[in-house]
Amino acid sequence: MLKMLLPVDGSTACNKAIAHFIQLLGWYKEVPQIHLLNVQFPLRGDVSMFISQESIREYHQEEGLKDLKETRDLLDQAGVAYQYHVTVGDAAKMIVQFATEKQCDQIVIGPRGLGSVQGVLLGSVASKLIHLSPIPVLLIK
């Protein structure tokens, strides 16, 4: 069975790409094993001096679940099984690391999301991912 990683940032572009990907699932002989991954940005500064590590973990988990909600709803409505994960760090690096650890066969991503550079043809995360990943990356517009 194929393993697919779908990075999710909660953006409209990402959810459009996921909706399109759901339509393409019929192309596969069997439905792939799907992993959703949301990568949260680390908190800046000396926040950990004032807030416990547990509170910070809970915050990242809550924010990640918010970003994953719409995508999870789309997959639930389509009756597609998936697993979801939330991690913290540099988005492109964490996506590659996760995909490698889970031995994913492909990473499926929208070309633009919530990256810091707007108006660019290819989003900064997608662009970085293409360069870093030893795993094939499928861009869905």
Side-chain angles (χ1 to χ4, degrees):
M1 175 183 292
L2 287 174
K3 285 186 189 177
M4 306 286 229
L5 176 61
L6 283 67
V8 176
D9 65 7
S11 68
T12 302
C14 174
N15 289 321
K16 281 183 180 181
I18 299 290
H20 189 71
F21 175 72
I22 291 169
Q23 294 174 353
L24 301 178
L25 286 174
W27 289 4
Y28 298 96
K29 191 174 187 178
E30 60 181 333
V31 176
Q33 182 181 21
I34 296 175
H35 290 273
L36 304 178
L37 178 66
N38 176 261
V39 181
Q40 291 290 304
F41 293 105
L43 298 178
R44 296 180 186 251
D46 296 329
V47 174
S48 61
M49 290 177 57
F50 307 103
I51 301 173
S52 71
Q53 288 297 320
E54 182 60 29
S55 294
I56 293 171
R57 272 192 291 282
E58 287 175 12
Y59 168 78
H60 284 127
Q61 188 69 21
E62 287 173 17
E63 292 302 307
L65 290 174
K66 285 179 195 175
D67 289 345
L68 287 164
K69 184 181 180 344
E70 199 168 330
T71 298
R72 291 179 64 199
D73 289 346
L74 287 169
L75 291 167
D76 288 342
Q77 289 170 6
V80 176
Y82 60 88
Q83 296 175 37
Y84 63 91
H85 316 271
V86 177
T87 190
V88 179
D90 175 77
K93 289 178 184 175
M94 295 308 294
I95 291 167
V96 170
Q97 179 181 332
F98 185 88
T100 303
E101 287 173 4
K102 291 289 183 180
Q103 298 178 329
C104 291
D105 299 296
Q106 191 170 48
I107 300 170
V108 179
I109 191 168
R112 289 197 336 199
L114 295 175
S116 59
V117 180
Q118 294 188 8
V120 177
L121 181 60
L122 188 62
S124 60
V125 172
S127 180
K128 231 172 142 178
L129 191 57
I130 289 168
H131 293 288
L132 290 176
S133 180
I135 298 165
V137 177
L138 173 64
L139 293 173
I140 296 185
K141 187 172 180 183

